[in-house]
Amino acid sequence: MTSIRISAGRLDVDFAVGPGVTAVYGPSGAGKTLLLETIAGFVRPDSGRILLDDAILYDAAARVHLPPQRRRCALVPQGESLFPHMDPRQNLAFAAKRWPRLERHRRVAEMMEKFQLTDDAPHLRFAIARALLAEPKLLLLDDPGLDAALLRQVRENSAAPILLASRNLDLCCSADQLLVLDAGRILQRGAPRQVVD
């Protein structure tokens, strides 16, 4: 279970991320991207605590702030996220670099098959495959332009909990838990049907 209680600028939230997909829905400027970047370690909160499977990622009182590369969180941001100096397959191999060469090639080939990745596949599919190759403990998706079919495919290929930030209410309603965020505060939370009703 991931527990997040942070304050960063105007962002002030306290919630848990369980198994499956937790969607954060809100308008532009609600704080969705800031929330994901804070969890990933790219933004340091002013106060609070972030726990991932009982491991402390951030704790203001204890002065703990793990760097992004040690958090085991994978962030797929809005827009282009592949390394431009590498082709898409090299991007995948980079994410699998911790394994020996043969295992790395096997994992990359397996991921390319699972996501039907060809040279002309959308970069978003490569970015998601790269994130999953790193075997994150938490997958952060920042409104990258997913559709329901691709989200379903991500769920099938990852055991990690997923925190999805989106302005697409239909996509958010396919999540297991829905949080409504506005002006940096959670207005409502619960099962999507309950929140929408």
Side-chain angles (χ1 to χ4, degrees), residues 121-133:
H123 279 205
L124 172 60
R125 296 182 78 83
F126 276 102
I128 289 172
R130 182 181 69 184
L132 294 179
L133 268 168

Side-chain angles (χ1 to χ4, degrees), residues 155-175:
R155 288 179 86 153
E156 291 167 1
N157 289 287
S158 176
I162 299 166
L163 185 59
L164 164 70
S166 182
R167 290 175 291 167
N168 181 337
L169 185 57
D170 290 335
L171 184 63
C172 289
C173 284
S174 66

Side-chain angles (χ1 to χ4, degrees), residues 105-185:
H105 288 299
R106 185 192 69 75
R107 287 174 183 262
V108 168
E110 183 179 276
M111 194 61 72
M112 289 186 74
E113 183 179 323
K114 283 180 181 178
F115 281 88
Q116 300 97 34
L117 298 175
T118 60
D119 290 338
D120 59 344
H123 279 205
L124 172 60
R125 296 182 78 83
F126 276 102
I128 289 172
R130 182 181 69 184
L132 294 179
L133 268 168
E135 295 185 343
K137 290 189 174 189
L138 178 63
L139 180 60
L140 306 167
L141 302 173
D142 188 12
D143 210 351
L146 288 169
D147 57 23
L150 184 53
L151 180 58
R152 192 169 36 254
Q153 193 173 10
V154 171
R155 288 179 86 153
E156 291 167 1
N157 289 287
S158 176
I162 299 166
L163 185 59
L164 164 70
S166 182
R167 290 175 291 167
N168 181 337
L169 185 57
D170 290 335
L171 184 63
C172 289
C173 284
S174 66
D176 301 295
Q177 177 180 215
L178 177 61
L179 308 176
V180 177
L181 187 71
D182 191 27
R185 305 269 192 283

Side-chain angles (χ1 to χ4, degrees), residues 28-47:
S28 290
K32 300 183 303 294
T33 297
L34 178 60
L35 172 63
L36 296 188
E37 289 176 346
T38 302
I39 295 167
F42 298 117
V43 174
R44 188 180 194 128
D46 301 322
S47 64

Side-chain angles (χ1 to χ4, degrees), residues 15-112:
F15 67 99
V17 178
V21 178
T22 299
V24 180
Y25 172 76
S28 290
K32 300 183 303 294
T33 297
L34 178 60
L35 172 63
L36 296 188
E37 289 176 346
T38 302
I39 295 167
F42 298 117
V43 174
R44 188 180 194 128
D46 301 322
S47 64
R49 190 173 206 208
I50 302 171
L51 296 174
L52 177 58
D53 293 339
D54 296 326
I56 298 173
L57 303 184
Y58 173 79
D59 189 323
R63 297 185 180 186
V64 174
H65 179 72
L66 286 183
Q69 66 272 18
R70 293 190 45 214
R71 291 193 178 208
R72 298 286 312 269
C73 296
L75 173 64
V76 178
Q78 298 176 24
E80 188 61 46
S81 65
L82 297 180
F83 298 126
H85 64 286
M86 297 179 181
D87 66 37
R89 188 178 179 95
Q90 289 171 327
N91 269 271
L92 295 181
F94 178 83
K97 69 181 179 179
R98 69 180 173 163
W99 289 286
R101 188 165 100 15
L102 289 176
E103 178 66 9
R104 180 172 52 241
H105 288 299
R106 185 192 69 75
R107 287 174 183 262
V108 168
E110 183 179 276
M111 194 61 72
M112 289 186 74

